[in-house]
Amino acid sequence: MEKRIYNFSAGPAVLPEEVLKEARDNLYVLPGVGMSILEISHRSRTFEKIILGAKRNIKTLLGIGDDYTVLFLQGGATLQFSMVPLNLMFPENKADYMLTGVWAQKAIKEAGKVGTVNIAGSSEADNFTIIPKQEELKLDPDAAYVHFTSNNTIYGTEYKTEPEVGSVPLVCDASSDLMHKKIDVSKYALLYAGAQKNLGPSGVTVVIIRNDMLTRSRDSLPAYLNYRIHAENDSMYNTPSTFGVYIIQLVTKWLMKNGGLDVMHQLNRDKASILYDYIDESDGYYKGTARKESRSLMNVTFRLPGEELERKLISEATKSGFSGLKGHRLAGGLRASIYNAFPKQGVADLVQFMKDFKSRN
Ligand SMILES: *Cc1c(COP(=O)(O)O)cnc(C)c1O
């Protein structure tokens, strides 16, 4: 079999090897079922167990109570940019948004089609290298909700704690960091995440919604865009991404087997510090682009002295089995995405490669 290389892609991204192997075995025939996981009905007993298992695992890992519903939808985080305002902006018809990067910008653009958006905090003037400070926020106490992006995948910044928003419902795009650590879900009215960063394959989106929010969804909404309809139908209003949900079930099982989210958080901190520490010790050859206090544990963004050298490093790294290090086209530079499933050894090996590259160049 072909050797696996280190995958630093921002998404779709690396998955646990154990998960891939189990999926490979079940791809041809699910034990006791006689059909592939790709071939079974979403109404079958087998799939019912899979989707219930995935929901239960997510609730257990994050410590979510019965006052929340977990949904598996499609359309990526991008559809949530529209579904959130369409369902939740009423009755005030205005909402607060934090502008911390490109994904936040896109969420704001869609919300602006539904109602009035107040930019309650922004790091645009700092080229999105920081997270806005609590004391700088201009929150509207009458906003229908406050929306923020917990991890800014492109710029490599993350909120260390949730913004404090009083009694206004808090909504979070957690696409690139959900499940990288334990969070207090009771602070949130809604969280959403496209699965392809830290949870599974593309094609499935996890939405965690507090049940009282479901009453905001109006009957006049198109059925697919209505959270309440998805909740009432246990995410089976239409055919869900059966394979996506199945992989999420395996990934969450893997997380539980490996000690849960506190263990994962420590591992993520360890991995990120191997890389950030070396960047900081490289005498300015490598420069982290995010401010230290806002650095992401998931996406490590950095630059070299000049784009020529950046291209050279990416090309040599690719030949040496380090894939996906090119930064997002809007940010430039380099980005190492080191989600839950990314092995610690791979980070250490990248640092060794960067040391060698520096001494050669
Ligand atoms: C990747 C990403 C998105 C877009 O996700 P899609 O599933 O492609 O719609 C949105 N927000 C964040 C924070 C992301 O990382």
Side-chain angles (χ1 to χ4, degrees):
M1 189 159 49
E2 270 221 51
K3 183 174 171 286
R4 279 173 60 78
I5 60 170
Y6 289 130
N7 177 8
F8 290 93
S9 165
V14 59
L15 286 166
E17 266 191 37
E18 261 175 77
V19 166
L20 295 175
K21 285 179 179 161
E22 187 170 345
R24 175 192 61 194
D25 296 343
N26 290 347
L27 197 65
Y28 186 61
V29 56
L30 259 174
V33 179
M35 291 177 278
S36 163
I37 177 67
L38 293 174
E39 298 171 310
I40 60 169
S41 163
H42 61 299
R43 306 277 175 206
S44 63
R45 281 285 297 142
T46 307
F47 186 71
E48 207 172 277
K49 280 209 301 225
I50 289 171
I51 195 166
L52 281 175
K55 274 186 210 172
R56 198 180 328 108
N57 292 352
I58 289 173
K59 285 193 153 188
T60 304
L61 284 161
L62 286 167
I64 304 176
D66 289 336
D67 44 344
Y68 286 80
T69 299
V70 177
L71 303 174
F72 298 107
L73 306 181
Q74 295 175 67
T78 299
L79 186 59
Q80 295 309 306
F81 296 164
S82 299
M83 279 180 75
V84 165
L86 284 169
N87 284 269
L88 302 188
M89 245 204 214
F90 296 86
E92 292 86 352
N93 215 28
K94 57 178 184 176
D96 282 355
Y97 275 73
M98 307 294 178
L99 175 53
T100 55
V102 169
W103 297 117
Q105 233 155 18
K106 292 192 168 173
I108 288 164
K109 189 170 173 207
E110 295 308 311
K113 295 176 185 174
V114 181
T116 306
V117 172
N118 169 45
I119 306 296
S122 173
S123 56
E124 195 173 20
D126 296 289
N127 294 320
F128 301 125
T129 56
I130 55 166
I131 294 299
K133 293 192 179 60
Q134 180 71 33
E135 57 271 23
E136 291 165 3
L137 303 183
K138 295 186 182 68
L139 296 161
D140 174 358
D142 297 322
Y145 59 86
V146 182
H147 180 283
F148 78 110
T149 314
S150 50
N151 183 71
N152 297 282
T153 326
I154 294 174
Y155 296 96
T157 63
E158 71 175 18
Y159 279 81
K160 300 296 170 188
T161 54
E162 298 84 359
E164 281 169 36
V165 296
S167 59
V168 177
L170 185 61
V171 174
C172 179
D173 175 0
S175 289
S176 50
D177 70 344
L178 190 65
M179 301 276 185
H180 90 293
K181 68 173 182 185
K182 191 88 176 267
I183 52 169
D184 182 359
V185 173
S186 72
K187 290 183 177 166
Y188 297 81
L190 188 148
L191 287 139
Y192 63 89
Q196 71 271 19
K197 274 57 181 256
N198 206 25
L199 300 173
S202 59
V204 57
T205 310
V206 175
V207 175
I208 301 167
I209 182 167
R210 204 173 63 214
N211 292 337
D212 63 313
M213 288 292 120
L214 295 169
T215 59
R216 291 197 188 186
S217 303
R218 292 156 304 140
D219 289 333
S220 59
L221 284 173
Y224 194 86
L225 303 183
N226 187 317
Y227 288 130
R228 187 167 35 78
I229 289 184
H230 288 294
E232 284 168 359
N233 289 278
D234 296 324
S235 299
M236 302 260 226
Y237 177 73
N238 73 327
T239 316
S241 166
T242 49
F243 188 70
V245 171
Y246 162 70
I247 296 292
I248 289 180
Q249 187 246 324
L250 295 186
V251 169
T252 49
K253 185 173 79 174
W254 172 83
L255 284 169
M256 289 165 67
K257 204 177 118 190
N258 285 282
L261 299 190
D262 288 333
V263 171
M264 198 45 68
H265 190 201
Q266 189 55 51
L267 183 62
N268 285 326
R269 276 188 296 222
D270 292 347
K271 287 188 304 190
S273 33
I274 293 172
L275 195 43
Y276 283 125
D277 286 352
Y278 173 61
I279 287 171
D280 292 341
E281 286 159 12
S282 69
D283 302 320
Y285 189 80
Y286 297 104
K287 275 204 179 72
T289 53
R291 300 272 187 88
K292 280 190 188 174
E293 69 275 17
S294 299
R295 281 174 167 176
S296 165
L297 296 186
M298 300 280 94
N299 312 98
V300 178
T301 50
F302 59 98
R303 304 217 64 144
L304 274 76
E307 290 184 14
E308 191 61 39
L309 278 174
E310 288 174 347
R311 275 192 291 272
K312 191 168 180 216
L313 187 144
I314 290 163
S315 140
E316 289 185 17
T318 307
K319 284 183 200 128
S320 305
F322 304 95
S323 166
L325 285 169
K326 194 171 182 323
H328 191 278
R329 67 198 147 77
L330 293 172
L334 283 85
R335 171 176 56 179
S337 298
I338 47 174
Y339 301 114
N340 285 347
F342 193 92
K344 191 171 171 181
Q345 187 61 47
V347 182
D349 289 356
L350 175 66
V351 164
Q352 190 54 52
F353 175 85
M354 287 164 66
K355 282 181 186 168
D356 295 344
F357 184 87
K358 177 173 180 269
S359 61
R360 277 185 279 116
N361 297 276

